Amino acid sequence: MDAALAAFAADGTVTHWNHEAERILGWTTAEAVGRRGLTGWAVRKEDADGIEAALAAAMRSPGRQVHEFALLTKDGRRVLVRTQSSAVRGPGGHIVGVYCAFSEVHTQLDLERSVALAEALFEDASWGVVLIDADLRPAVVNAHAGRILGVGRTAPLGRPLGELLAQGVEELECAVQHVLAEGAPPATAELWVTLRSEGAELPRRCWRSGFVRLASPLAEEPVPLGVAWLFQDVTDTKRAEQESSLLRFRARQLHRAGRAAAECPDPAEAAAVHLDFALAGFADHGLVDLATTPLPAPYGVVAEDDGYDACDACDPCDTGDGAGAAGGTGTPPGSAPGSSPGADAGPGTRHGRPRLVRALASPAGAPGPAERLPATGIPVPYAPRHPVFQAYERRGSVRTGAGPVSPEGWAAARHWPDGTVHGLCVALRSRGRTLGVATFLRTSARRPFDRADADYAEEVAARIAAALDLAGAAALGGAPSAHCR
């Protein structure tokens, strides 16, 4: 900010008067220099004594003296100014005059407010504030932003944004470049980012961001100094909104599926309708396998998998939640403590795994409605520790996945469509019996199944089981359902 400057000799004669003083008061340098004192032309007579006393005190006091005076302009208006006065010493150290710098109070207040705002933003603000220079590198980071980034205030300075963010850096750099070229956008933006710092609170965050272009007020033409990036973490709010929207969508899907299934004359067709509606926005593939009576073992021969229970299903290559995914300890309801999960399973369970026959399946290629498969009675050749057997024995849901790096043939080994990396198996329960297992599958384009997904799948499975129970498991499975429990 330019300041008006005036100098006075020891006797009060004006010896210096710059252009800013001329702009504020209207008196030219030629008109001001040589006048003795300010009384009668730049100061009212009523105010003259106080101003002259203040200037005289500044000559006798060390350092700068700050005062507020009311001066007169050439056209007779009064202007309130804030002055800083200090003594001027000659070669011998004796005082020869006083130097006075002044500016209009409202201009000074604007400057002070700007400085105070900048200091508050970088110290006490509840928003993160980062100044990014024209090279797209942080120049200043406030305390709140340092905490959110998990690296402090000084570590990010001068580093590329890509060293701070693992994901979302392209969107951020694009926004900063747009602001440098076009100016601030009219509304805030929401950026989903993933932090690289191990000290970050959560790896994936949503930041509501605003951008302001900074330009030097001293340049004749606006020269961008960088961009002020203000952001606030709204991850919890956005996730709550997404969860609420997802719940509304799923409730609507269940309602629509129920209405559509009610118009199906064949209960088996109604089960397929429930499966079709469940896949929308939830999974890429859906399978329904019904249980049938297993073949008896030869007399006197003990089968290798006799006494199959949930403990046999601990496959180290699966990443399922096991009992935790089913929402319990793995022991079926009604079982005595310490008993095997399959102790009350009924005929066939303790003498062999259930034979699961494919009844419904969604198309593995092009999208389309779920298909009812012919009742051949041929079981699906699942491996002994397949997740469907876990879900069947536990009478609940089991989640599984290929892990971060999907091994070759992971889906084929489980007799699931190619590209599957996430699976959710849910027992089909109706009238106190387990009719079979419904399986929902996702490809790598979707996230893994979570607890909320398992709850929704269990609700869908209950409706599918009711429809299949009404249709008769024997009609679809190709064999009596004595194994249902």
Side-chain angles (χ1 to χ4, degrees), residues 42-109:
V43 175
R44 294 194 315 169
K45 294 182 179 180
E46 295 81 357
D47 301 327
D49 293 340
I51 295 176
E52 291 178 356
L55 294 177
M59 288 190 291
R60 297 190 301 268
S61 303
R64 293 180 298 175
Q65 303 294 315
V66 179
H67 301 90
E68 289 187 0
F69 299 142
L71 301 182
L72 280 178
T73 64
K74 189 175 182 179
D75 56 6
R77 293 182 298 106
R78 298 184 73 193
V79 177
L80 184 63
V81 298
R82 178 173 296 176
T83 65
Q84 295 187 38
S85 306
S86 60
V88 178
R89 299 181 180 275
H94 60 280
I95 297 174
V96 297
V98 62
Y99 207 72
C100 181
F102 62 92
S103 61
E104 296 178 83
V105 168
H106 68 84
T107 303
Q108 183 73 16
L109 289 177

Side-chain angles (χ1 to χ4, degrees), residues 147-363:
R147 288 192 298 268
I148 293 178
L149 294 172
V151 293
R153 298 185 60 178
T154 58
L157 302 183
R159 296 168 55 187
L161 295 174
E163 295 184 8
L164 303 175
L165 304 177
Q167 295 180 355
V169 64
E170 295 85 0
E171 292 80 357
L172 177 58
E173 290 180 346
C174 180
V176 173
Q177 290 173 343
H178 172 79
V179 174
L180 286 172
E182 304 292 338
T188 58
E190 292 177 351
L191 302 177
W192 284 91
V193 301
T194 301
L195 300 173
R196 292 189 185 275
S197 171
E198 295 181 357
E201 298 174 0
L202 286 176
R204 182 165 171 80
R205 312 296 298 174
C206 180
W207 293 342
R208 182 169 294 154
S209 304
F211 301 91
V212 180
R213 183 170 63 180
L214 303 179
S216 173
L218 303 179
E220 296 182 359
E221 297 182 359
V223 178
L225 297 177
V227 172
W229 173 33
L230 296 87
F231 62 95
Q232 187 178 36
D233 195 324
V234 294
T235 307
D236 294 339
T237 302
K238 295 301 295 182
R239 285 179 176 165
E241 292 176 357
Q242 292 175 352
E243 291 175 1
S244 178
S245 176
L246 182 61
L247 288 176
R248 289 195 299 269
F249 172 76
R250 289 179 174 177
R252 182 61 179 169
Q253 285 296 99
L254 290 174
H255 174 75
R256 294 175 60 197
R259 294 288 300 271
E263 302 300 325
C264 297
D266 185 357
E269 182 183 352
V273 168
H274 281 293
L275 182 61
D276 285 335
F277 275 91
L279 292 180
F282 180 69
D284 297 291
H285 304 290
L287 309 173
V288 173
D289 301 323
L290 295 181
T292 63
T293 305
L295 295 176
Y299 178 77
V301 175
V302 178
E304 180 184 355
D305 52 5
D306 275 358
Y308 172 85
D309 57 22
C311 295
D312 296 330
C314 300
D315 188 352
C317 68
D318 284 338
T319 59
D321 293 315
T329 62
T331 302
S335 299
S339 63
S340 171
D344 62 343
T349 304
R350 296 295 297 172
H351 302 287
R353 296 184 308 274
R355 300 173 63 205
L356 297 176
V357 178
R358 184 66 45 81
L360 298 172
S362 62

Side-chain angles (χ1 to χ4, degrees), residues 467-485:
L468 292 177
D469 192 16
L470 181 61
L476 287 179
S481 58
H483 191 68
C484 297
R485 55 191 178 97

